[in-house]
Amino acid sequence: MPEQDNKLIHAFGALAMLGQEITNRSNFQETIRTSLHLLSGAIGIMRGAVARYSRFAHELNMIAVRQLGDDFPLSLTLTGEDERQFLANGLNAIEVSQAKVLPFFQVYDVSFESRGLELFVPLVVRDEIVGSIFLGEKASGEQYTSYDKDIICAMGQHIGVAIAQRNLMAEIERRAEENRQLFDDMRSTYHDTVKAFAAAIDCKDKYTEGHSVRVGKFSEIIASELGWGQDEMEGAAVAGYLHDVGKLTVERKIINAPYRINAKESAELNKHPGVGFEILQPIRHPYADVPLAAKYHHERLDGRGYPDGLFDREIPYIAKIVSLADSFDAMTTDRPYRARRPAKDVVEDLKHNSGKQFAPEIVTAFLGGMLKELNGGDRNKRFRRLLGREYMEAEGLAEKVRLTLNELAPTTPMTYVAAAGIGEPQIH
């Protein structure tokens, strides 16, 4: 077989392996090192390098280096004139000895000459410099032929595409990271705004300061104990923070009445769920059921709630969560006309109203979280931070919660979960 045919077959084999290497390899630097090895082997070259171009730093940074010595520069600077000439040259081999008019070859002349570098190939992809190949003399000592240069440029095109793809992926990852950071910032701003709004709501009621924030945190605890995901837990917290937003339109003297309000005042106060829904509905929340929690958090499973007297399965699930959180906070805080109730009495109330006012599985989840903390299984001290250490350390509370949980049916035939056989949260 003629020698030229052998070279052709060898070159095609190397080109095929190079294409496979670039397609299959996930390690970019290893891909480029292997590519340099294949290129060198195809032509019989002892040393060389592949560099990646940084258009921001105007530098060629070495990715793979073979037999050029430890003191060969790892970064080489290009001038504007170098860039223009390399772009005009395109992906074609440049003989180093013939290109010393360019600043690039003048600056690095000593390094190139001492390593016997003979060819420089700018890797140009879609009219953009993405890198370069440096090649020393052939092992045979022969001059590079036009055939050699064609093979080098064909393989260089593959290497250039690999670098361009890597640059594209890096840009996509950078933009994805920017978007993620932007989303996190917006999310943080949204939650800070919601908390500020909750504080503004509570400021109107001097007797229940911090109520909305606590209801938000109790709602988050319930969602957590129900096994909801992070987004759903945040949604439950937001629903709790904003559930009383309708009270902003209720007269301050009614909200702050140091006595049990009369029927007329009660009717006025009871408008706040509907008003809250009207306020929140036009807002595009990241959590879809926030307005529904405001509207229906005073509904009861037995239909004795307001404003619409809905029965169990008609009540949005998020409203059932906020309802329990809201009632629990009302029972465990001082009001102008009564003191906070003892913890064991509150637990008894939850058991008594499970299946009537509250969804049993929500009561079970809530008390389950409380018992876990009382028994030391939850070191976050979520209840202690909201209720106070002394309140949570009431004598016999852990035993009371444990017995209550044993007596509670997790569901009733009335509940949405039991009747429908599903328990997916409706938020989102």
Side-chain angles (χ1 to χ4, degrees), residues 141-221:
E142 299 172 348
Q143 296 294 311
Y144 281 98
T145 66
S146 59
Y147 168 79
D148 293 334
K149 293 176 183 176
D150 288 344
I151 294 298
I152 291 169
C153 289
M155 301 183 79
Q157 190 169 19
H158 281 270
I159 298 172
V161 169
I163 295 175
Q165 286 178 335
R166 175 65 178 180
N167 291 346
L168 180 61
M169 289 301 300
E171 179 65 13
I172 291 173
E173 290 170 1
R174 186 185 67 79
R175 295 199 176 197
E177 175 60 22
E178 282 183 357
N179 286 338
R180 188 194 63 76
Q181 187 62 48
L182 181 61
F183 176 77
D184 287 347
D185 290 346
M186 292 175 63
R187 191 174 192 166
S188 177
T189 300
Y190 174 77
H191 285 287
D192 289 345
T193 303
V194 167
K195 288 179 182 177
F197 214 76
I201 297 167
D202 291 341
C203 280
K204 192 166 184 179
D205 185 349
K206 65 181 181 181
Y207 296 115
T208 60
E209 185 177 0
H211 169 70
S212 296
V213 173
R214 288 192 298 273
V215 171
K217 293 185 180 301
F218 284 132
S219 298
E220 186 176 10
I221 291 173

Coordinates of all heavy atoms in Angstrom, one line a residue, residues 141-221:
G141 N 11.6 15.1 11.4 CA 12.4 16.2 11.0 C 12.0 16.8 9.7 O 12.6 17.8 9.2
E142 N 11.0 16.2 9.0 CA 10.5 16.7 7.7 C 9.7 18.0 7.9 O 9.2 18.3 9.0 CB 9.7 15.7 7.0 CG 10.5 14.4 6.7 CD 9.5 13.3 6.2 OE1 8.3 13.5 6.3 OE2 10.0 12.3 5.7
Q143 N 9.6 18.8 6.8 CA 8.8 20.0 6.8 C 7.3 19.6 6.8 O 7.0 18.5 6.3 CB 9.1 20.8 5.6 CG 10.5 21.4 5.6 CD 10.8 22.4 6.7 OE1 10.0 23.3 6.9 NE2 11.9 22.2 7.4
Y144 N 6.5 20.4 7.3 CA 5.0 20.2 7.2 C 4.6 20.3 5.8 O 5.0 21.3 5.1 CB 4.2 21.2 8.1 CG 4.2 20.9 9.6 CD1 5.1 21.5 10.4 CD2 3.3 20.0 10.1 CE1 5.1 21.2 11.8 CE2 3.3 19.7 11.4 CZ 4.2 20.3 12.3 OH 4.2 20.0 13.6
T145 N 3.8 19.4 5.3 CA 3.3 19.5 3.9 C 1.9 20.1 4.0 O 1.3 20.3 5.0 CB 3.2 18.1 3.3 OG1 2.2 17.3 4.0 CG2 4.5 17.3 3.4
S146 N 1.5 20.5 2.8 CA 0.1 21.0 2.7 C -0.9 20.0 3.2 O -2.0 20.3 3.8 CB -0.2 21.5 1.3 OG -0.1 20.4 0.4
Y147 N -0.6 18.7 2.9 CA -1.5 17.6 3.3 C -1.5 17.6 4.8 O -2.6 17.5 5.5 CB -1.0 16.3 2.8 CG -1.6 15.1 3.3 CD1 -2.9 14.7 2.9 CD2 -1.0 14.3 4.3 CE1 -3.5 13.6 3.5 CE2 -1.6 13.2 4.9 CZ -2.8 12.8 4.5 OH -3.4 11.7 5.0
D148 N -0.4 17.7 5.5 CA -0.3 17.7 7.0 C -1.2 18.9 7.5 O -1.9 18.7 8.5 CB 1.1 17.9 7.5 CG 2.0 16.7 7.1 OD1 1.5 15.6 7.0 OD2 3.2 16.9 7.0
K149 N -1.0 20.0 6.9 CA -1.7 21.2 7.4 C -3.3 21.0 7.2 O -4.0 21.5 8.1 CB -1.3 22.4 6.6 CG 0.2 22.8 6.9 CD 0.6 24.0 6.1 CE 2.1 24.3 6.4 NZ 2.6 25.4 5.5
D150 N -3.7 20.4 6.1 CA -5.1 20.1 5.9 C -5.6 19.2 7.1 O -6.7 19.4 7.6 CB -5.4 19.4 4.6 CG -5.2 20.4 3.4 OD1 -5.2 21.6 3.7 OD2 -5.0 20.0 2.3
I151 N -4.9 18.2 7.4 CA -5.3 17.3 8.5 C -5.3 18.0 9.8 O -6.3 17.9 10.6 CB -4.3 16.1 8.6 CG1 -4.4 15.2 7.3 CG2 -4.6 15.2 9.8 CD1 -5.7 14.6 7.1
I152 N -4.3 18.8 10.1 CA -4.3 19.6 11.3 C -5.5 20.5 11.4 O -6.1 20.6 12.5 CB -2.9 20.4 11.4 CG1 -1.8 19.4 11.6 CG2 -3.0 21.4 12.5 CD1 -0.4 20.1 11.4
C153 N -5.8 21.2 10.3 CA -6.9 22.1 10.3 C -8.2 21.4 10.5 O -9.2 21.9 11.2 CB -6.9 23.0 9.1 SG -5.6 24.2 9.0
A154 N -8.4 20.2 9.9 CA -9.6 19.4 10.0 C -9.8 19.0 11.5 O -10.9 19.1 12.0 CB -9.5 18.2 9.1
M155 N -8.7 18.5 12.1 CA -8.8 18.2 13.5 C -8.9 19.4 14.4 O -9.6 19.4 15.4 CB -7.6 17.3 13.9 CG -7.4 16.1 13.1 SD -6.0 15.0 13.5 CE -6.7 14.2 14.9
G156 N -8.3 20.5 14.0 CA -8.4 21.7 14.8 C -9.9 22.2 14.8 O -10.3 22.8 15.7
Q157 N -10.6 22.0 13.7 CA -12.0 22.4 13.6 C -12.8 21.7 14.7 O -13.6 22.3 15.3 CB -12.6 22.1 12.2 CG -13.9 22.7 12.0 CD -14.3 22.7 10.5 OE1 -13.8 21.9 9.8 NE2 -15.3 23.5 10.2
H158 N -12.5 20.4 14.8 CA -13.2 19.6 15.9 C -12.9 20.2 17.3 O -13.8 20.4 18.1 CB -12.8 18.1 15.8 CG -13.5 17.4 14.8 ND1 -14.7 16.7 15.0 CD2 -13.1 17.2 13.5 CE1 -15.0 16.1 13.8 NE2 -14.1 16.4 12.9
I159 N -11.6 20.4 17.5 CA -11.2 21.0 18.8 C -11.8 22.4 19.0 O -12.3 22.7 20.2 CB -9.6 21.0 18.9 CG1 -9.1 19.6 18.8 CG2 -9.2 21.7 20.2 CD1 -7.5 19.6 18.6
G160 N -11.8 23.2 18.0 CA -12.4 24.5 18.1 C -13.9 24.4 18.5 O -14.4 25.2 19.3
V161 N -14.6 23.5 17.9 CA -16.1 23.3 18.2 C -16.2 22.9 19.6 O -17.1 23.3 20.3 CB -16.7 22.3 17.2 CG1 -18.1 21.9 17.7 CG2 -16.8 22.9 15.8
A162 N -15.3 22.0 20.1 CA -15.4 21.5 21.5 C -15.2 22.7 22.4 O -16.0 22.8 23.4 CB -14.4 20.4 21.7
I163 N -14.3 23.6 22.1 CA -14.1 24.7 23.0 C -15.3 25.7 22.9 O -15.7 26.2 24.0 CB -12.8 25.5 22.6 CG1 -11.6 24.6 22.9 CG2 -12.6 26.8 23.4 CD1 -10.2 25.1 22.4
A164 N -15.8 25.9 21.7 CA -17.0 26.8 21.6 C -18.1 26.2 22.3 O -18.9 27.0 23.0 CB -17.3 26.9 20.1
Q165 N -18.3 24.9 22.3 CA -19.5 24.3 23.0 C -19.3 24.5 24.5 O -20.2 24.8 25.3 CB -19.6 22.8 22.7 CG -20.1 22.5 21.3 CD -20.2 21.1 21.0 OE1 -19.4 20.3 21.6 NE2 -21.1 20.7 20.1
R166 N -18.0 24.3 25.0 CA -17.7 24.5 26.4 C -18.0 26.0 26.8 O -18.6 26.3 27.9 CB -16.3 24.2 26.7 CG -15.8 24.5 28.1 CD -16.5 23.6 29.1 NE -16.0 23.8 30.4 CZ -16.5 23.2 31.5 NH1 -17.4 22.3 31.4 NH2 -16.0 23.5 32.7
N167 N -17.6 26.9 25.9 CA -17.8 28.4 26.2 C -19.3 28.6 26.3 O -19.8 29.4 27.2 CB -17.2 29.2 25.2 CG -15.7 29.2 25.2 OD1 -15.1 28.8 26.2 ND2 -15.1 29.7 24.1
L168 N -20.1 28.0 25.4 CA -21.5 28.2 25.4 C -22.2 27.7 26.7 O -23.0 28.3 27.3 CB -22.1 27.5 24.2 CG -23.7 27.6 24.0 CD1 -24.1 29.1 23.9 CD2 -24.1 26.8 22.8
M169 N -21.7 26.5 27.1 CA -22.3 25.9 28.3 C -21.9 26.7 29.5 O -22.7 26.9 30.4 CB -21.7 24.4 28.5 CG -22.2 23.4 27.5 SD -24.0 23.3 27.6 CE -24.2 22.8 29.3
A170 N -20.7 27.2 29.5 CA -20.3 28.1 30.6 C -21.2 29.4 30.7 O -21.6 29.8 31.8 CB -18.8 28.5 30.5
E171 N -21.5 29.9 29.5 CA -22.3 31.1 29.5 C -23.7 30.8 29.9 O -24.4 31.6 30.7 CB -22.3 31.6 28.0 CG -23.2 32.9 27.8 CD -22.7 34.1 28.6 OE1 -21.5 34.0 29.0 OE2 -23.5 35.1 28.7
I172 N -24.2 29.6 29.5 CA -25.6 29.2 29.9 C -25.6 29.0 31.4 O -26.6 29.5 32.1 CB -26.0 27.9 29.2 CG1 -26.2 28.2 27.7 CG2 -27.3 27.3 29.8 CD1 -26.5 26.9 26.9
E173 N -24.6 28.4 32.0 CA -24.5 28.1 33.4 C -24.4 29.5 34.2 O -25.0 29.6 35.2 CB -23.3 27.3 33.8 CG -23.5 25.8 33.3 CD -22.2 25.0 33.4 OE1 -21.2 25.6 33.9 OE2 -22.2 23.8 33.0
R174 N -23.6 30.4 33.6 CA -23.5 31.7 34.2 C -24.8 32.4 34.3 O -25.2 33.0 35.3 CB -22.5 32.6 33.5 CG -22.2 33.9 34.1 CD -21.2 34.7 33.3 NE -21.8 35.1 32.1 CZ -22.7 36.2 32.0 NH1 -23.0 36.9 33.0 NH2 -23.2 36.5 30.8
R175 N -25.6 32.4 33.2 CA -26.8 33.1 33.1 C -27.9 32.4 34.0 O -28.7 33.0 34.6 CB -27.4 33.1 31.7 CG -26.5 34.0 30.8 CD -27.1 34.4 29.5 NE -26.3 35.3 28.8 CZ -26.7 36.1 27.8 NH1 -28.0 36.1 27.5 NH2 -25.8 36.9 27.1
A176 N -27.8 31.0 34.1 CA -28.7 30.3 34.9 C -28.5 30.7 36.4 O -29.4 30.9 37.2 CB -28.5 28.8 34.8
E177 N -27.2 30.8 36.7 CA -26.8 31.2 38.1 C -27.3 32.7 38.4 O -27.8 33.0 39.5 CB -25.3 31.2 38.3 CG -24.8 31.7 39.6 CD -25.4 30.9 40.8 OE1 -25.8 29.8 40.6 OE2 -25.4 31.5 41.9
E178 N -27.2 33.5 37.4 CA -27.7 34.9 37.5 C -29.2 34.9 37.8 O -29.7 35.6 38.6 CB -27.3 35.7 36.3 CG -25.9 36.2 36.3 CD -25.6 37.1 35.0 OE1 -26.5 37.3 34.2 OE2 -24.5 37.6 34.9
N179 N -29.9 34.1 36.9 CA -31.3 34.0 37.1 C -31.7 33.5 38.4 O -32.7 33.9 39.1 CB -31.9 33.2 36.0 CG -31.9 33.9 34.6 OD1 -31.9 35.1 34.6 ND2 -32.0 33.1 33.5
R180 N -31.0 32.4 38.9 CA -31.3 31.8 40.2 C -31.1 32.9 41.3 O -31.9 33.0 42.2 CB -30.4 30.6 40.5 CG -30.8 29.9 41.7 CD -29.6 28.9 42.1 NE -28.4 29.6 42.5 CZ -28.3 30.2 43.6 NH1 -29.2 30.3 44.5 NH2 -27.1 30.9 43.9
Q181 N -30.0 33.7 41.2 CA -29.7 34.7 42.2 C -30.8 35.8 42.2 O -31.3 36.2 43.2 CB -28.4 35.3 41.9 CG -27.9 36.3 43.0 CD -27.7 35.6 44.3 OE1 -27.1 34.6 44.5 NE2 -28.3 36.2 45.4
L182 N -31.2 36.1 40.9 CA -32.3 37.1 40.8 C -33.6 36.6 41.4 O -34.3 37.4 42.1 CB -32.5 37.5 39.3 CG -33.5 38.5 39.0 CD1 -33.2 39.9 39.6 CD2 -33.7 38.7 37.5
F183 N -33.9 35.3 41.1 CA -35.1 34.7 41.7 C -35.0 34.7 43.2 O -36.0 35.1 43.9 CB -35.3 33.3 41.2 CG -36.4 32.6 41.7 CD1 -37.7 32.9 41.3 CD2 -36.2 31.6 42.7 CE1 -38.8 32.2 41.9 CE2 -37.3 31.0 43.3 CZ -38.6 31.2 42.9
D184 N -33.9 34.3 43.8 CA -33.7 34.3 45.2 C -33.9 35.7 45.8 O -34.5 35.9 46.9 CB -32.4 33.7 45.6 CG -32.3 32.2 45.4 OD1 -33.3 31.6 45.2 OD2 -31.1 31.7 45.4
D185 N -33.3 36.7 45.1 CA -33.5 38.1 45.6 C -35.0 38.5 45.6 O -35.4 39.1 46.6 CB -32.7 39.0 44.7 CG -31.2 38.8 44.9 OD1 -30.8 38.2 45.9 OD2 -30.4 39.3 44.1
M186 N -35.6 38.2 44.5 CA -37.1 38.6 44.4 C -37.9 37.8 45.5 O -38.8 38.4 46.1 CB -37.6 38.2 43.0 CG -37.0 39.1 41.9 SD -37.6 38.6 40.3 CE -39.3 38.9 40.4
R187 N -37.5 36.6 45.7 CA -38.2 35.8 46.7 C -38.0 36.3 48.1 O -39.0 36.4 48.9 CB -37.7 34.3 46.6 CG -38.5 33.3 47.4 CD -37.9 31.9 47.1 NE -38.8 30.9 47.6 CZ -38.6 29.6 47.2 NH1 -37.7 29.3 46.4 NH2 -39.4 28.7 47.7
S188 N -36.8 36.7 48.4 CA -36.5 37.3 49.6 C -37.2 38.6 49.8 O -37.8 38.9 50.9 CB -35.0 37.5 49.8 OG -34.6 38.1 51.0
T189 N -37.2 39.4 48.8 CA -37.9 40.7 48.8 C -39.4 40.5 49.1 O -40.1 41.2 49.9 CB -37.7 41.5 47.5 OG1 -36.3 41.7 47.3 CG2 -38.5 42.8 47.6
Y190 N -40.0 39.5 48.4 CA -41.4 39.2 48.5 C -41.7 38.8 50.0 O -42.7 39.3 50.6 CB -41.8 38.0 47.6 CG -43.2 37.6 47.8 CD1 -44.3 38.3 47.3 CD2 -43.5 36.4 48.5 CE1 -45.6 37.9 47.5 CE2 -44.8 35.9 48.7 CZ -45.8 36.7 48.2 OH -47.1 36.2 48.4
H191 N -40.9 37.9 50.6 CA -41.2 37.5 51.9 C -41.0 38.6 52.9 O -41.7 38.7 53.9 CB -40.3 36.3 52.3 CG -40.7 35.0 51.6 ND1 -41.8 34.3 52.0 CD2 -40.2 34.3 50.5 CE1 -42.0 33.3 51.3 NE2 -41.0 33.2 50.3
D192 N -39.9 39.4 52.7 CA -39.8 40.6 53.6 C -40.9 41.5 53.5 O -41.4 42.1 54.5 CB -38.5 41.3 53.2 CG -37.2 40.6 53.6 OD1 -37.3 39.6 54.3 OD2 -36.1 40.9 53.1
T193 N -41.5 41.7 52.3 CA -42.6 42.6 52.1 C -43.9 42.0 52.8 O -44.6 42.7 53.5 CB -42.9 42.8 50.6 OG1 -41.8 43.3 50.0 CG2 -44.1 43.7 50.4
V194 N -44.0 40.7 52.7 CA -45.2 40.0 53.3 C -45.1 40.2 54.9 O -46.1 40.5 55.5 CB -45.2 38.6 53.0 CG1 -46.2 37.8 53.9 CG2 -45.7 38.4 51.5
K195 N -43.9 40.0 55.4 CA -43.7 40.1 56.9 C -43.9 41.5 57.3 O -44.5 41.7 58.4 CB -42.3 39.6 57.2 CG -42.1 38.1 57.1 CD -40.7 37.7 57.5 CE -40.5 36.2 57.4 NZ -39.1 35.8 57.6
A196 N -43.5 42.5 56.5 CA -43.7 43.9 56.9 C -45.2 44.2 56.9 O -45.7 44.9 57.7 CB -42.9 44.8 55.9
F197 N -45.9 43.6 55.9 CA -47.3 43.8 55.8 C -48.0 43.2 57.0 O -49.0 43.8 57.5 CB -47.8 43.2 54.5 CG -48.9 44.0 53.8 CD1 -48.7 45.2 53.2 CD2 -50.2 43.5 53.9 CE1 -49.7 45.9 52.6 CE2 -51.3 44.2 53.4 CZ -51.0 45.4 52.7
A198 N -47.6 42.0 57.4 CA -48.2 41.3 58.5 C -48.0 42.2 59.8 O -48.9 42.3 60.6 CB -47.5 40.0 58.7
A199 N -46.8 42.8 59.9 CA -46.5 43.6 61.1 C -47.4 44.8 61.0 O -47.9 45.3 62.1 CB -45.1 44.0 61.1
A200 N -47.7 45.4 59.8 CA -48.6 46.5 59.7 C -50.0 46.2 60.1 O -50.7 47.0 60.7 CB -48.5 47.0 58.3
I201 N -50.4 45.0 59.7 CA -51.7 44.5 60.1 C -51.9 44.4 61.6 O -52.8 44.9 62.2 CB -52.0 43.1 59.5 CG1 -52.1 43.2 58.0 CG2 -53.4 42.6 60.0 CD1 -52.0 41.8 57.3
D202 N -50.8 43.9 62.3 CA -50.9 43.7 63.7 C -50.8 45.0 64.5 O -51.2 45.1 65.6 CB -49.8 42.7 64.1 CG -50.0 41.3 63.6 OD1 -51.2 41.0 63.3 OD2 -49.1 40.5 63.6
C203 N -50.1 46.0 63.9 CA -50.0 47.3 64.5 C -51.4 47.9 64.8 O -51.5 48.7 65.8 CB -49.2 48.2 63.7 SG -47.4 47.9 63.8
K204 N -52.4 47.5 64.0 CA -53.7 48.1 64.2 C -54.4 47.6 65.5 O -55.3 48.1 66.0 CB -54.6 47.9 63.0 CG -55.8 48.7 63.0 CD -56.5 48.7 61.7 CE -57.7 49.6 61.7 NZ -58.4 49.6 60.4
D205 N -53.9 46.3 65.9 CA -54.5 45.7 67.0 C -53.5 45.6 68.1 O -52.6 44.7 68.1 CB -55.0 44.3 66.6 CG -55.8 43.6 67.8 OD1 -55.8 44.1 68.9 OD2 -56.4 42.6 67.5
K206 N -53.6 46.5 69.1 CA -52.6 46.6 70.1 C -52.6 45.4 71.1 O -51.7 45.1 71.8 CB -52.7 47.9 70.9 CG -54.0 48.0 71.8 CD -54.0 49.3 72.5 CE -55.3 49.4 73.4 NZ -55.4 50.7 74.1
Y207 N -53.8 44.6 71.1 CA -53.9 43.5 72.0 C -53.4 42.2 71.4 O -53.2 41.2 72.1 CB -55.4 43.3 72.4 CG -55.9 44.5 73.2 CD1 -56.9 45.3 72.7 CD2 -55.4 44.8 74.4 CE1 -57.4 46.3 73.4 CE2 -55.9 45.8 75.2 CZ -56.9 46.6 74.6 OH -57.4 47.7 75.4
T208 N -53.3 42.2 70.1 CA -52.8 40.9 69.5 C -51.5 41.2 68.6 O -51.4 40.6 67.5 CB -53.9 40.4 68.5 OG1 -54.2 41.3 67.5 CG2 -55.1 40.0 69.3
E209 N -50.6 42.0 69.2 CA -49.4 42.3 68.4 C -48.6 41.0 68.1 O -48.4 40.1 69.0 CB -48.5 43.2 69.3 CG -47.3 43.6 68.6 CD -46.5 44.6 69.5 OE1 -46.9 44.9 70.6 OE2 -45.4 45.0 69.0
G210 N -48.2 40.9 66.9 CA -47.5 39.7 66.5 C -48.4 38.5 66.1 O -47.9 37.5 65.7
H211 N -49.7 38.7 66.1 CA -50.6 37.6 65.8 C -50.4 37.1 64.4 O -50.3 35.9 64.2 CB -52.1 38.1 66.0 CG -53.1 37.1 65.5 ND1 -53.4 35.9 66.1 CD2 -53.9 37.2 64.4 CE1 -54.3 35.3 65.4 NE2 -54.7 36.0 64.3
S212 N -50.4 37.9 63.4 CA -50.3 37.5 62.0 C -49.0 36.7 61.8 O -48.9 35.7 61.1 CB -50.4 38.7 61.1 OG -51.6 39.3 61.1
V213 N -47.9 37.3 62.4 CA -46.6 36.6 62.2 C -46.6 35.2 62.8 O -46.1 34.2 62.3 CB -45.5 37.5 62.8 CG1 -44.1 36.7 62.8 CG2 -45.3 38.8 62.0
R214 N -47.2 35.1 64.0 CA -47.3 33.8 64.7 C -48.1 32.8 63.9 O -47.8 31.7 63.8 CB -47.8 34.0 66.1 CG -46.8 34.7 67.1 CD -47.3 34.5 68.5 NE -48.6 35.1 68.8 CZ -48.7 36.4 69.1 NH1 -47.7 37.2 69.2 NH2 -49.9 36.9 69.3
V215 N -49.3 33.3 63.4 CA -50.1 32.4 62.6 C -49.4 31.9 61.4 O -49.5 30.8 61.0 CB -51.4 33.2 62.2 CG1 -52.2 32.3 61.2 CG2 -52.3 33.5 63.4
G216 N -48.6 32.8 60.8 CA -47.8 32.4 59.7 C -46.8 31.3 60.1 O -46.6 30.3 59.4
K217 N -46.2 31.5 61.2 CA -45.2 30.5 61.7 C -45.9 29.2 62.1 O -45.4 28.1 61.8 CB -44.3 31.0 62.8 CG -43.4 32.2 62.3 CD -42.5 32.7 63.4 CE -41.7 33.8 63.0 NZ -40.8 33.5 61.8
F218 N -47.0 29.2 62.7 CA -47.8 28.0 63.1 C -48.2 27.3 61.8 O -48.2 26.1 61.7 CB -49.0 28.3 64.0 CG -48.6 28.7 65.4 CD1 -49.1 29.8 66.1 CD2 -47.7 27.8 66.1 CE1 -48.8 30.1 67.4 CE2 -47.4 28.1 67.4 CZ -47.9 29.2 68.1
S219 N -48.7 28.1 60.8 CA -49.1 27.4 59.6 C -47.9 26.7 58.9 O -48.1 25.6 58.3 CB -49.6 28.5 58.6 OG -50.8 29.2 59.2
E220 N -46.7 27.3 59.0 CA -45.5 26.7 58.4 C -45.2 25.4 59.1 O -44.8 24.4 58.5 CB -44.4 27.7 58.5 CG -43.1 27.2 57.8 CD -42.0 28.3 57.8 OE1 -42.2 29.3 58.6 OE2 -41.0 28.1 57.1
I221 N -45.4 25.4 60.5 CA -45.1 24.2 61.2 C -46.1 23.1 60.8 O -45.7 21.9 60.6 CB -45.3 24.5 62.8 CG1 -44.1 25.4 63.2 CG2 -45.3 23.2 63.5 CD1 -44.3 25.9 64.7

